[in-house]
């Protein structure tokens, strides 16, 4: 079992918003963090520089199976205590009949298919008692879908949750903790300027949940308070 000072995490999708704050919060708690971005530089590189080697930056376009395979090869021999996939896009508040086929495909590939491809490509790096987590949303809850709006985004997160259930079923005996995390509605590029939370408010609570659930078997869909989100 890793000690506080040698825990290692890989955060996929860390260039800004929730992912960037997650990297910083993990490093603040003593984790060593590998953080991926599609483009070099920017806030993530500044964060890595500030942590003097505790945060490493890797290039990754998550929708590319070839780049996932290349990242896995570059990280060969590392052992992760946490693999966290944080990546999502939104293409506006349209009713589904107004969504183009290209837009539907783009959002589903990014929000549902690619996170699971990332888990499958990188799961071999995760320690036997490690945690595999994906950033979801209560908007992916079918039973909580009682308000109008954002139909494509909701569908993509519901698909993500369903695919994670399939992943957990297929790998039920691997001993790893599996989590879908709802961080709440945050003021990010995705969440918009009127959201009630900031990543600096929600992410420390998310990391509390990740640390508290380490070693717990099976799959859970939890919010930032550690409460179960209904499917």
């Amino acid at each position: 079992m890793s000690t506080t000072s040698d825990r290692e995490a890989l955060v996929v999708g860390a260039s800004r918003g929730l992912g960037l704050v997650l990297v910083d919060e993990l490093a603040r708690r003593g984790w060593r963090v590998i953080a991926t971005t599609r483009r070099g530089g920017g806030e993530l590189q500044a964060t890595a520089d500030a942590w003097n080697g505790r945060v490493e930056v890797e290039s990754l376009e998550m929708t590319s199976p070839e780049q996932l395979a290349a990242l896995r090869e570059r990280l060969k021999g590392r052992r992760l205590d946490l693999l966290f996939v944080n990546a999502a896009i939104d293409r506006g508040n349209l009713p589904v009949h107004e969504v183009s086929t290209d837009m539907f495909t783009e959002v589903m590939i990014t929000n549902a298919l690619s996170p699971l491809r990332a888990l499958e490509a990188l799961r071999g790096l995760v320690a036997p008692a490690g945690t595999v987590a994906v950033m979801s949303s209560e908007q992916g809850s079918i039973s909580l879908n009682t308000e109008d709006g954002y139909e494509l985004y909701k569908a993509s997160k519901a698909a993500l949750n369903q695919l994670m259930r399939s992943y957990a079923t297929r790998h039920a005996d691997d001993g790893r903790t599996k989590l879908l995390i709802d961080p709440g509605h945050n003021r990010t590029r995705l969440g918009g300027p009127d959201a009630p939370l900031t990543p600096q408010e929600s992410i420390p609570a998310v990391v509390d949940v990740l640390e508290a659930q380490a070693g717990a078997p099976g799959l859970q869909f939890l919010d930032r308070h550690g409460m179960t989100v209904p499917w």
Side-chain angles (χ1 to χ4, degrees), residues 68-175:
L68 283 168
L71 177 64
R72 179 182 62 212
E73 188 62 25
R74 292 197 300 274
L75 298 180
K76 194 174 182 180
R78 306 285 283 267
R79 274 297 167 263
L80 305 172
D81 298 283
L82 171 65
L83 168 59
F84 196 112
V85 179
N86 168 64
I89 59 172
D90 177 31
R91 291 297 181 253
N93 186 12
L94 297 173
V96 72
H97 63 278
E98 295 181 13
V99 172
S100 70
T101 301
D102 286 346
M103 182 187 295
F104 185 90
T105 302
E106 178 193 23
V107 171
M108 284 293 184
I109 287 174
T110 302
N111 292 6
L113 176 61
S114 294
L116 270 297
R117 279 179 170 170
L119 292 189
E120 290 290 359
L122 302 169
R123 65 182 296 271
L125 301 171
V126 181
T131 297
V132 173
V134 182
M135 197 75 86
S136 186
S137 168
E138 75 167 19
Q139 296 214 54
S141 168
I142 292 175
S143 60
L144 293 180
N145 185 10
T146 58
E147 295 183 6
D148 188 25
Y150 296 94
E151 295 177 19
L152 176 55
Y153 182 76
K154 289 176 179 178
S156 72
K157 287 298 188 178
L160 170 69
N161 292 351
Q162 182 73 293
L163 290 172
M164 189 64 175
R165 286 291 295 264
S166 296
Y167 172 92
T169 300
R170 191 158 16 91
H171 298 301
D173 298 326
D174 67 5

Side-chain angles (χ1 to χ4, degrees), residues 30-49:
W31 290 69
R32 287 178 288 116
V33 187
I34 306 161
T36 78
T37 179
R38 290 182 297 167
R39 303 178 191 86
E43 290 181 88
L44 179 58
Q45 189 59 57
T47 297
D49 293 342

